Amino acid sequence: MAPSGPGSVRRRCRRVLYWIPVVFISLLLGWSYYAYAIQLCIVSMENIGEQVMCLIAYHLLFAMFIWSYWKTIFTLPMNPSKEFHLSYAEKELLEREPRGEAHQEVLRRAAKDLPIYTRTMSGAIRYCDRCQLIKPDRCHHCSVCDKCILKMDHHCPWVNNCVGFSNYKFFLLFLAYSLLYCLFIAATDLQYFIKFWTNGLPDTQAKFHIMFLFFAAAMFSVSLSSLFGYHCWLVSKNKSTLEAFRSPVFRQGTDKNGFSLGFSKNMRQVFGDEKKYWLLPIFSSLGDGCSFPTCLVNQDPEQPPTPAGLNSTAKKHEQSCIDHGE
């Protein structure tokens, strides 16, 4: 077994550090459960009916919060399939050719049978030197994961995972249920919070849990509402966070709404056709993550029709690389 070098030790240390935000959220969630279910509902509430109703509603939101958070964290991001990887002969050719037109000609030949319509700002084939593959549409290289991620949205430190095609729906539900969780706590805790300030509560440790619980729930409600609202807007426009910061570039120019199919179809791209699964953290997004329909009419004549096995009527367009997503 080869000895571990300094680089290997640093990588392992970074992996541990990346879990700190997740541990923080988990500890905060554990405390909120104790503060709400035990100190507020069981200790402070005197009305049995109110106790039962609050505990039932709370545990429902708590379960959906945990479920969606777990799925967001532990669903592996999808990477491009092997058809997008260069063959050994193509890699040899690419290494021999200098950067420039000859280099691009090798990539064009390799991509001629692929449903690739996006390009770089200069009109070149989008190629990842790290992964040695031709990037599918909307795919980007994550500098944290050191992998190409299908339909990458962003790398989220709060889930220690890339948010992309495979878990974007879970991420949205995580935001939605965490927001509902905080709003519910703030709303049901409000009257007891007021009693705290008017000395209407007995002088026990419960009163301090009630006070801090309201402050935490109210604070997170504000931040989560803005983040959730932003991602709802992205879904309605069928954009990723990367595409919102830098619009896709098509052969005829930049089109910030190139992937938008209309509100209803945009929603189905993320949540799927079966509405019974929309509110559950179960994968139901449309497509395979490698090709996507667009609103563009004119398809690139140099590209073949999209294979039937790929869910796409994708048209020509270009897109550049951004920070965590190249």
Side-chain angles (χ1 to χ4, degrees):
M1 183 176 177
S4 297
S8 177
V9 173
R10 281 196 296 269
R11 281 194 298 271
R12 279 198 286 266
C13 289
R14 280 199 299 268
R15 287 195 204 103
V16 172
L17 292 174
Y18 289 153
W19 282 103
I20 289 177
V22 176
V23 172
F24 172 74
I25 292 293
S26 301
L27 292 174
L28 188 63
L29 197 56
W31 167 78
S32 71
Y33 182 90
Y34 170 75
Y36 188 88
I38 307 299
Q39 295 295 335
L40 178 61
C41 290
I42 295 176
V43 174
S44 302
M45 288 184 182
E46 297 177 352
N47 187 300
I48 300 298
E50 183 185 12
Q51 275 186 343
V52 172
M53 293 300 294
C54 284
L55 284 171
I56 290 174
Y58 173 80
H59 280 92
L60 179 62
L61 289 173
F62 183 80
M64 296 306 294
F65 183 1
I66 293 293
W67 187 9
S68 56
Y69 190 43
W70 178 275
K71 292 283 284 187
T72 307
I73 294 171
F74 294 107
T75 298
L76 294 176
M78 287 179 65
N79 311 119
S81 55
K82 61 183 179 181
E83 64 182 322
F84 291 92
H85 290 257
L86 296 185
S87 67
Y88 180 77
E90 288 167 338
K91 289 177 186 176
E92 291 249 301
L93 271 174
L94 209 61
E95 287 172 3
R96 286 202 299 266
E97 297 293 348
R99 292 279 178 176
E101 185 56 34
H103 191 271
Q104 274 298 301
E105 184 57 34
V106 174
L107 292 178
R108 276 196 289 269
R109 286 200 301 268
K112 66 184 176 65
D113 294 325
L114 296 174
I116 299 293
Y117 306 107
T118 57
R119 300 289 187 270
T120 66
M121 291 285 287
S122 62
I125 297 291
R126 299 171 67 243
Y127 177 73
C128 179
D129 290 306
R130 294 282 294 177
C131 300
Q132 294 189 310
L133 57 80
I134 295 169
K135 296 178 185 176
D137 295 346
R138 311 181 83 176
C139 173
H140 299 274
H141 186 89
C142 175
S143 59
V144 179
C145 299
D146 197 25
K147 293 178 182 177
C148 280
I149 308 298
L150 294 182
K151 196 188 175 187
M152 180 178 170
D153 187 86
H154 68 289
H155 187 94
C156 180
W158 297 106
V159 300
N160 190 28
N161 200 1
C162 253
V163 177
F165 178 74
S166 63
N167 63 351
Y168 187 62
K169 178 191 172 185
F170 307 149
F171 177 74
L172 279 173
L173 291 178
F174 158 61
L175 292 181
Y177 286 122
S178 58
L179 176 58
L180 288 173
Y181 180 80
C182 291
L183 289 173
F184 176 79
I185 288 175
T188 53
D189 188 28
L190 179 59
Q191 60 174 311
Y192 298 93
F193 177 75
I194 294 172
K195 286 181 181 179
F196 171 85
W197 291 106
T198 57
N199 295 318
L201 288 177
D203 193 16
T204 63
Q205 65 169 343
K207 66 187 298 184
F208 296 103
H209 286 289
I210 289 169
M211 180 184 70
F212 289 117
L213 186 64
F214 180 82
F215 277 130
M219 179 183 66
F220 279 104
S221 293
V222 173
S223 58
L224 284 168
S225 60
S226 59
L227 185 59
F228 179 61
Y230 175 68
H231 278 279
C232 285
W233 176 78
L234 288 178
V235 171
S236 72
K237 298 295 184 180
N238 201 1
K239 293 181 179 182
S240 67
T241 299
L242 294 176
E243 291 162 356
F245 278 99
R246 186 171 296 173
S247 300
V249 182
F250 298 86
R251 184 162 294 211
Q252 63 271 45
T254 300
D255 188 341
K256 63 182 180 180
N257 294 315
F259 290 107
S260 182
L261 308 172
F263 180 78
S264 178
K265 289 183 179 178
N266 290 345
M267 288 284 289
R268 283 175 164 78
Q269 283 290 303
V270 175
F271 292 97
D273 289 325
E274 298 190 65
K275 293 183 179 180
K276 63 184 178 181
Y277 295 125
W278 281 18
L279 300 181
L280 298 176
I282 297 171
F283 184 80
S284 57
S285 302
L286 298 181
D288 61 358
C290 289
S291 57
F292 300 89
T294 80
C295 66
L296 302 183
V297 177
N298 299 316
Q299 193 175 27
D300 188 343
E302 296 180 5
Q303 295 295 333
T306 304
L310 298 175
N311 180 45
S312 171
T313 58
K315 315 297 188 241
K316 62 176 180 180
H317 55 88
E318 307 169 8
Q319 184 176 1
S320 60
C321 313
I322 303 176
D323 195 21
H324 284 167
E326 295 175 357

